[in-house]
Amino acid sequence: MTHIEKCLTAKGIKPIVTYQHAFKNTYLYGSFSPINGDSFIWEIEGVDTQLFEAYLNAFSHHKPNELKVIIIDNAGFHSTKNIEVLANIILINIPPYSPELNPSEKIWGYLKQKYKNKLFKTIEDVKEWLHRTVQTEFTESRIKTITHSEFYNTAFTNHLNV
């Protein structure tokens, strides 16, 4: 579905934007470090608890000697009641309605801004655009810039000095 955004035109001229309304989806799961700009992104075809568990398992194997602290919101598929979380992952739930505490939400907002006013013929075109955008836009320095949080940087630095 095309996400319409403001654009510049001459005064008194109404912009013409091609619009498409279709219901085909792809999803990205991702974890992004505001400390060093590292990222791990997974494209999937849905959202549910089993897929979330599979994502955590795959993420656990990305730099397996590293402890991963993941901020999660209260989405239904983030439920951890019946899933196994591996030893190198710690999940921290944020309070409801506080997406500003989740570094990943800042990345998704950035990505959505890039997606505005674009028209894709097929879901494969969307996926190709996503892959290209993730590869070219999500450098370590850009991830650090987008997700920067003095709160997390201070907490992490203080933890290392203990």
Side-chain angles (χ1 to χ4, degrees):
M1 183 165 59
T2 308
H3 292 271
I4 305 296
E5 181 63 40
K6 296 176 185 176
C7 60
L8 288 173
T9 66
K11 185 174 181 177
I13 304 295
K14 184 175 180 178
I16 298 172
V17 178
T18 306
Y19 179 79
Q20 177 178 323
H21 194 86
F23 291 102
K24 293 183 181 181
N25 298 314
T26 191
Y27 299 89
L28 294 179
Y29 277 19
S31 296
F32 306 92
S33 173
I35 307 304
N36 65 9
D38 193 20
S39 65
F40 182 79
I41 301 170
W42 229 36
E43 182 192 349
I44 53 172
E45 297 302 320
V47 289
D48 63 31
T49 304
Q50 288 76 31
L51 288 170
F52 180 58
E53 183 176 22
Y55 169 79
L56 293 175
N57 288 333
F59 185 39
S60 173
H61 292 92
H62 171 72
K63 299 183 179 179
N65 295 327
E66 193 175 79
L67 177 64
K68 294 146 178 48
V69 177
I70 303 174
I71 309 299
I72 59 173
D73 58 23
N74 295 299
F77 62 90
H78 284 161
S79 173
T80 56
K81 288 181 184 179
N82 299 315
I83 69 170
E84 179 185 342
V85 179
L86 298 176
N88 66 338
I89 293 180
I90 296 173
L91 301 176
I92 297 178
N93 287 81
I94 57 175
Y97 311 108
S98 55
E100 68 280 0
L101 296 176
N102 189 340
S104 294
E105 292 298 335
K106 295 176 182 181
I107 293 289
W108 304 141
Y110 176 86
L111 186 62
K112 287 175 185 176
Q113 287 302 315
K114 296 283 184 182
Y115 187 77
K116 301 279 182 171
N117 297 335
K118 296 206 179 300
L119 182 68
F120 301 97
K121 291 183 181 179
T122 66
I123 191 69
E124 286 73 28
D125 291 343
V126 173
K127 290 179 181 186
E128 182 181 311
W129 178 86
L130 279 169
H131 290 219
R132 188 174 54 254
T133 302
V134 164
Q135 288 176 347
T136 59
E137 295 284 328
F138 292 164
T139 62
E140 288 180 353
S141 62
R142 181 154 295 136
I143 289 170
K144 285 193 301 187
T145 299
I146 296 169
T147 62
H148 176 77
S149 165
E150 199 59 44
F151 171 76
Y152 289 121
N153 288 356
T154 303
F156 182 77
T157 303
N158 289 342
H159 178 70
L160 286 180
N161 294 331
V162 171

